[in-house]
Amino acid sequence: MTQIADGGELIKETKPVSLTKPVIILLVLASVFILAIGIGVSFALFYPRKNTTVVIDNTNNGNTFETKPKPVSKLATDSAFLQLKSDLDGFISELDRIDLIEPQLAPPNIDLNINVQIK
Amino acid sequence: MFKICLIILLLVLSVKPVHADYNQSYSDYQYLYSQYRKSFEDFTVSKATYETYKTLTTQNDALEKMRGVMTDRANIVSAYLNLILEKMQAGDGIPAVQISTYRQIVGTQDSWLSGHQKKIAAAATLSDLDDISADFDTRYPQILNETKKAVGIILVSKNDFVYSKMPDLFSRTESYSQDITNLRSLAVAKTKAQLWEGKRAEIVTLLTPKANSYNDVFDLYKAQQLMIEGLQYLKEASSFLKEIVNNLI
């Protein structure tokens, strides 16, 4: 459908763009997803890494030494070894809990020589 | 549904019944002990009154109070014997033969105490009660010695129980220890743990009745000192194991 403007030009009537509810939800989800990716990338790029440790020795004229961290042993992820470590901790705590006095087991404080000595 | 309820009920009923028995016995024992102390105070007052006035009334009162304190004394000794038995049954790693032997001792002593209480109930005079009380004085050291030995067994079993877990820990640690330093530490740890066996042997000697001895009194205090020393060796051995394991990571 066309209309004639005041100047005699033909104006083409365009259909108005309408956003339905599912489309809005989709747009919101997409923007949240993009935002999350953005935060993740920024975190990965700018988070301070602890690959090396700088130790400043004040007793040695301020010389600096760069030390590399100790390589992590394969045993750190070995389930059998971790079980041994845990069992050992449990065993040590069991040893600490042993009570070799146990006052509850002491004999009752009873009296002998209960008599009236009438003889 | 019925089966599930039945299983849950059985589980609830089977949760540490022995431990509950021990707590109940200890509670009963404490009650009987407080009752005995009160009876003894009452008897002391009655005895002093009788010795001052020497009347028939005070004599009868002293007789009843003496009967009461002697009955309560027999009750507390019986409760103590049974308390130790409950503790033995609730303990870890106590050999069944030791429990069975002590149960027989408790049976014998309980039977004697029961007869003793019957005599107390039947006594008509203070003189009779004096004689019955003297019987108890003769019997009590034997009862005390037997319970002391049972306490010694309960305590030594604690060290035995943890010691029995050590060979497994040693072999598992050894499987990871190729380094010479760790192997040396492991050898030291094993030697430390074995020192407990030496202490244990001394305790067993204390527990074993000596030949031709009619007055063999078990020295529980000395045995406890040996146990504490032995436990220290076990702790040192476990510290070595811990150090080895920490070095491996």
mmCIF file of all heavy atoms in Angstrom, chain A residues 53-81:
data_model
loop_
_atom_site.group_PDB
_atom_site.id
_atom_site.type_symbol
_atom_site.label_atom_id
_atom_site.label_comp_id
_atom_site.label_asym_id
_atom_site.label_seq_id
_atom_site.Cartn_x
_atom_site.Cartn_y
_atom_site.Cartn_z
ATOM 1 N N THR A 53 59.055 -17.510 41.470
ATOM 2 C CA THR A 53 59.061 -16.767 42.724
ATOM 3 C C THR A 53 60.375 -16.003 42.816
ATOM 4 O O THR A 53 61.433 -16.586 42.590
ATOM 5 C CB THR A 53 58.967 -17.743 43.896
ATOM 6 O OG1 THR A 53 57.899 -18.640 43.644
ATOM 7 C CG2 THR A 53 58.728 -17.010 45.205
ATOM 8 N N VAL A 54 60.297 -14.740 43.117
ATOM 9 C CA VAL A 54 61.514 -13.957 43.270
ATOM 10 C C VAL A 54 61.771 -13.791 44.754
ATOM 11 O O VAL A 54 60.908 -13.330 45.496
ATOM 12 C CB VAL A 54 61.370 -12.574 42.594
ATOM 13 C CG1 VAL A 54 62.599 -11.727 42.861
ATOM 14 C CG2 VAL A 54 61.143 -12.761 41.118
ATOM 15 N N VAL A 55 62.938 -14.253 45.185
ATOM 16 C CA VAL A 55 63.301 -14.149 46.594
ATOM 17 C C VAL A 55 64.374 -13.079 46.729
ATOM 18 O O VAL A 55 65.409 -13.151 46.060
ATOM 19 C CB VAL A 55 63.843 -15.498 47.120
ATOM 20 C CG1 VAL A 55 64.256 -15.370 48.570
ATOM 21 C CG2 VAL A 55 62.797 -16.565 46.944
ATOM 22 N N ILE A 56 64.103 -12.075 47.533
ATOM 23 C CA ILE A 56 65.101 -11.014 47.741
ATOM 24 C C ILE A 56 65.810 -11.289 49.049
ATOM 25 O O ILE A 56 65.187 -11.356 50.105
ATOM 26 C CB ILE A 56 64.433 -9.627 47.765
ATOM 27 C CG1 ILE A 56 63.757 -9.384 46.425
ATOM 28 C CG2 ILE A 56 65.454 -8.541 48.070
ATOM 29 C CD1 ILE A 56 62.862 -8.174 46.398
ATOM 30 N N ASP A 57 67.097 -11.512 48.954
ATOM 31 C CA ASP A 57 67.882 -11.806 50.135
ATOM 32 C C ASP A 57 68.535 -10.519 50.620
ATOM 33 O O ASP A 57 69.493 -10.029 50.017
ATOM 34 C CB ASP A 57 68.936 -12.870 49.776
ATOM 35 C CG ASP A 57 69.714 -13.288 51.010
ATOM 36 O OD1 ASP A 57 69.435 -12.738 52.097
ATOM 37 O OD2 ASP A 57 70.592 -14.153 50.860
ATOM 38 N N ASN A 58 68.012 -9.951 51.689
ATOM 39 C CA ASN A 58 68.536 -8.681 52.187
ATOM 40 C C ASN A 58 69.913 -8.826 52.826
ATOM 41 O O ASN A 58 70.627 -7.856 52.990
ATOM 42 C CB ASN A 58 67.568 -8.094 53.227
ATOM 43 C CG ASN A 58 66.289 -7.641 52.564
ATOM 44 O OD1 ASN A 58 66.302 -7.240 51.404
ATOM 45 N ND2 ASN A 58 65.178 -7.747 53.293
ATOM 46 N N THR A 59 70.232 -10.047 53.211
ATOM 47 C CA THR A 59 71.532 -10.223 53.866
ATOM 48 C C THR A 59 72.672 -10.322 52.851
ATOM 49 O O THR A 59 73.828 -10.341 53.214
ATOM 50 C CB THR A 59 71.524 -11.517 54.695
ATOM 51 O OG1 THR A 59 71.261 -12.604 53.816
ATOM 52 C CG2 THR A 59 70.468 -11.463 55.782
ATOM 53 N N ASN A 60 72.324 -10.424 51.591
ATOM 54 C CA ASN A 60 73.378 -10.614 50.582
ATOM 55 C C ASN A 60 73.401 -9.438 49.615
ATOM 56 O O ASN A 60 73.265 -9.599 48.398
ATOM 57 C CB ASN A 60 73.109 -11.931 49.854
ATOM 58 C CG ASN A 60 74.324 -12.403 49.089
ATOM 59 O OD1 ASN A 60 75.393 -11.841 49.242
ATOM 60 N ND2 ASN A 60 74.122 -13.401 48.262
ATOM 61 N N ASN A 61 73.586 -8.243 50.157
ATOM 62 C CA ASN A 61 73.705 -7.010 49.363
ATOM 63 C C ASN A 61 72.560 -6.826 48.385
ATOM 64 O O ASN A 61 72.747 -6.287 47.290
ATOM 65 C CB ASN A 61 75.035 -6.986 48.595
ATOM 66 C CG ASN A 61 76.202 -7.116 49.548
ATOM 67 O OD1 ASN A 61 76.141 -6.606 50.674
ATOM 68 N ND2 ASN A 61 77.236 -7.822 49.135
ATOM 69 N N GLY A 62 71.419 -7.274 48.732
ATOM 70 C CA GLY A 62 70.248 -7.052 47.890
ATOM 71 C C GLY A 62 70.255 -7.831 46.591
ATOM 72 O O GLY A 62 69.508 -7.504 45.668
ATOM 73 N N ASN A 63 71.097 -8.872 46.478
ATOM 74 C CA ASN A 63 71.093 -9.671 45.244
ATOM 75 C C ASN A 63 69.774 -10.417 45.126
ATOM 76 O O ASN A 63 69.189 -10.817 46.129
ATOM 77 C CB ASN A 63 72.222 -10.711 45.281
ATOM 78 C CG ASN A 63 73.567 -10.037 45.155
ATOM 79 O OD1 ASN A 63 73.640 -8.917 44.646
ATOM 80 N ND2 ASN A 63 74.606 -10.687 45.651
ATOM 81 N N THR A 64 69.308 -10.615 43.956
ATOM 82 C CA THR A 64 68.051 -11.335 43.771
ATOM 83 C C THR A 64 68.322 -12.694 43.137
ATOM 84 O O THR A 64 69.247 -12.849 42.332
ATOM 85 C CB THR A 64 67.088 -10.550 42.874
ATOM 86 O OG1 THR A 64 67.725 -10.353 41.627
ATOM 87 C CG2 THR A 64 66.707 -9.225 43.499
ATOM 88 N N PHE A 65 67.546 -13.661 43.578
ATOM 89 C CA PHE A 65 67.667 -15.016 43.027
ATOM 90 C C PHE A 65 66.308 -15.447 42.511
ATOM 91 O O PHE A 65 65.300 -15.186 43.143
ATOM 92 C CB PHE A 65 68.097 -16.004 44.118
ATOM 93 C CG PHE A 65 69.390 -15.644 44.770
ATOM 94 C CD1 PHE A 65 69.402 -14.902 45.940
ATOM 95 C CD2 PHE A 65 70.593 -16.020 44.192
ATOM 96 C CE1 PHE A 65 70.586 -14.567 46.540
ATOM 97 C CE2 PHE A 65 71.785 -15.678 44.810
ATOM 98 C CZ PHE A 65 71.797 -14.951 45.985
ATOM 99 N N GLU A 66 66.336 -16.078 41.419
ATOM 100 C CA GLU A 66 65.083 -16.579 40.884
ATOM 101 C C GLU A 66 65.052 -18.084 41.106
ATOM 102 O O GLU A 66 65.957 -18.802 40.696
ATOM 103 C CB GLU A 66 64.997 -16.272 39.396
ATOM 104 C CG GLU A 66 63.595 -16.403 38.871
ATOM 105 C CD GLU A 66 63.464 -15.849 37.475
ATOM 106 O OE1 GLU A 66 63.405 -14.623 37.322
ATOM 107 O OE2 GLU A 66 63.444 -16.665 36.558
ATOM 108 N N THR A 67 64.030 -18.562 41.836
ATOM 109 C CA THR A 67 63.949 -20.000 42.111
ATOM 110 C C THR A 67 62.758 -20.587 41.374
ATOM 111 O O THR A 67 61.702 -19.965 41.298
ATOM 112 C CB THR A 67 63.773 -20.263 43.617
ATOM 113 O OG1 THR A 67 62.614 -19.575 44.032
ATOM 114 C CG2 THR A 67 64.967 -19.803 44.411
ATOM 115 N N LYS A 68 62.977 -21.768 40.898
ATOM 116 C CA LYS A 68 61.864 -22.464 40.231
ATOM 117 C C LYS A 68 61.164 -23.343 41.241
ATOM 118 O O LYS A 68 61.809 -23.911 42.116
ATOM 119 C CB LYS A 68 62.406 -23.303 39.078
ATOM 120 C CG LYS A 68 62.838 -22.460 37.900
ATOM 121 C CD LYS A 68 63.249 -23.306 36.737
ATOM 122 C CE LYS A 68 63.659 -22.434 35.566
ATOM 123 N NZ LYS A 68 64.181 -23.217 34.451
ATOM 124 N N PRO A 69 59.831 -23.459 41.152
ATOM 125 C CA PRO A 69 59.134 -24.313 42.116
ATOM 126 C C PRO A 69 59.507 -25.775 41.917
ATOM 127 O O PRO A 69 59.874 -26.178 40.815
ATOM 128 C CB PRO A 69 57.655 -24.083 41.786
ATOM 129 C CG PRO A 69 57.651 -23.630 40.389
ATOM 130 C CD PRO A 69 58.930 -22.891 40.155
ATOM 131 N N LYS A 70 59.407 -26.509 43.051
ATOM 132 C CA LYS A 70 59.732 -27.944 43.009
ATOM 133 C C LYS A 70 58.736 -28.649 42.081
ATOM 134 O O LYS A 70 57.522 -28.419 42.196
ATOM 135 C CB LYS A 70 59.604 -28.495 44.423
ATOM 136 C CG LYS A 70 60.171 -29.873 44.616
ATOM 137 C CD LYS A 70 59.974 -30.272 46.065
ATOM 138 C CE LYS A 70 60.304 -31.739 46.237
ATOM 139 N NZ LYS A 70 60.036 -32.205 47.584
ATOM 140 N N PRO A 71 59.232 -29.479 41.169
ATOM 141 C CA PRO A 71 58.275 -30.162 40.284
ATOM 142 C C PRO A 71 57.342 -31.068 41.090
ATOM 143 O O PRO A 71 57.781 -31.719 42.034
ATOM 144 C CB PRO A 71 59.171 -30.986 39.363
ATOM 145 C CG PRO A 71 60.475 -31.082 40.048
ATOM 146 C CD PRO A 71 60.614 -29.879 40.915
ATOM 147 N N VAL A 72 56.093 -31.043 40.723
ATOM 148 C CA VAL A 72 55.106 -31.834 41.467
ATOM 149 C C VAL A 72 55.304 -33.310 41.163
ATOM 150 O O VAL A 72 55.410 -33.711 40.003
ATOM 151 C CB VAL A 72 53.674 -31.398 41.078
ATOM 152 C CG1 VAL A 72 52.642 -32.247 41.815
ATOM 153 C CG2 VAL A 72 53.472 -29.938 41.391
ATOM 154 N N SER A 73 55.391 -34.112 42.245
ATOM 155 C CA SER A 73 55.613 -35.546 42.085
ATOM 156 C C SER A 73 54.382 -36.208 41.468
ATOM 157 O O SER A 73 53.252 -35.755 41.665
ATOM 158 C CB SER A 73 55.915 -36.142 43.454
ATOM 159 O OG SER A 73 55.769 -37.518 43.414
ATOM 160 N N LYS A 74 54.652 -37.303 40.759
ATOM 161 C CA LYS A 74 53.534 -38.065 40.181
ATOM 162 C C LYS A 74 52.669 -38.669 41.288
ATOM 163 O O LYS A 74 51.497 -38.939 41.117
ATOM 164 C CB LYS A 74 54.085 -39.190 39.290
ATOM 165 C CG LYS A 74 54.407 -38.736 37.865
ATOM 166 C CD LYS A 74 54.703 -39.923 36.996
ATOM 167 C CE LYS A 74 56.124 -40.405 37.176
ATOM 168 N NZ LYS A 74 56.500 -41.515 36.307
ATOM 169 N N LEU A 75 53.312 -38.863 42.476
ATOM 170 C CA LEU A 75 52.588 -39.469 43.603
ATOM 171 C C LEU A 75 51.480 -38.574 44.147
ATOM 172 O O LEU A 75 50.569 -39.048 44.817
ATOM 173 C CB LEU A 75 53.565 -39.795 44.741
ATOM 174 C CG LEU A 75 54.557 -40.911 44.466
ATOM 175 C CD1 LEU A 75 55.539 -41.032 45.613
ATOM 176 C CD2 LEU A 75 53.848 -42.235 44.254
ATOM 177 N N ALA A 76 51.609 -37.252 43.830
ATOM 178 C CA ALA A 76 50.608 -36.305 44.354
ATOM 179 C C ALA A 76 49.210 -36.632 43.844
ATOM 180 O O ALA A 76 48.215 -36.224 44.442
ATOM 181 C CB ALA A 76 50.985 -34.895 43.987
ATOM 182 N N THR A 77 49.145 -37.354 42.745
ATOM 183 C CA THR A 77 47.820 -37.717 42.212
ATOM 184 C C THR A 77 47.580 -39.231 42.245
ATOM 185 O O THR A 77 46.590 -39.713 41.709
ATOM 186 C CB THR A 77 47.676 -37.226 40.763
ATOM 187 O OG1 THR A 77 48.794 -37.707 40.017
ATOM 188 C CG2 THR A 77 47.609 -35.710 40.697
ATOM 189 N N ASP A 78 48.516 -39.954 42.870
ATOM 190 C CA ASP A 78 48.382 -41.414 42.960
ATOM 191 C C ASP A 78 47.398 -41.756 44.079
ATOM 192 O O ASP A 78 47.653 -41.471 45.248
ATOM 193 C CB ASP A 78 49.785 -41.997 43.249
ATOM 194 C CG ASP A 78 49.771 -43.517 43.285
ATOM 195 O OD1 ASP A 78 48.727 -44.077 43.662
ATOM 196 O OD2 ASP A 78 50.790 -44.128 42.949
ATOM 197 N N SER A 79 46.284 -42.361 43.727
ATOM 198 C CA SER A 79 45.232 -42.590 44.730
ATOM 199 C C SER A 79 45.694 -43.525 45.856
ATOM 200 O O SER A 79 45.367 -43.310 47.025
ATOM 201 C CB SER A 79 43.971 -43.141 44.068
ATOM 202 O OG SER A 79 44.264 -44.366 43.469
ATOM 203 N N ALA A 80 46.488 -44.546 45.496
ATOM 204 C CA ALA A 80 46.973 -45.489 46.529
ATOM 205 C C ALA A 80 47.909 -44.773 47.502
ATOM 206 O O ALA A 80 47.858 -45.000 48.716
ATOM 207 C CB ALA A 80 47.689 -46.654 45.878
ATOM 208 N N PHE A 81 48.740 -43.898 46.960
ATOM 209 C CA PHE A 81 49.673 -43.156 47.821
ATOM 210 C C PHE A 81 48.907 -42.172 48.716
ATOM 211 O O PHE A 81 49.206 -42.046 49.907
ATOM 212 C CB PHE A 81 50.696 -42.410 46.957
ATOM 213 C CG PHE A 81 51.700 -41.640 47.766
ATOM 214 C CD1 PHE A 81 52.764 -42.287 48.371
ATOM 215 C CD2 PHE A 81 51.569 -40.275 47.937
ATOM 216 C CE1 PHE A 81 53.670 -41.586 49.146
ATOM 217 C CE2 PHE A 81 52.477 -39.563 48.705
ATOM 218 C CZ PHE A 81 53.535 -40.226 49.314
#
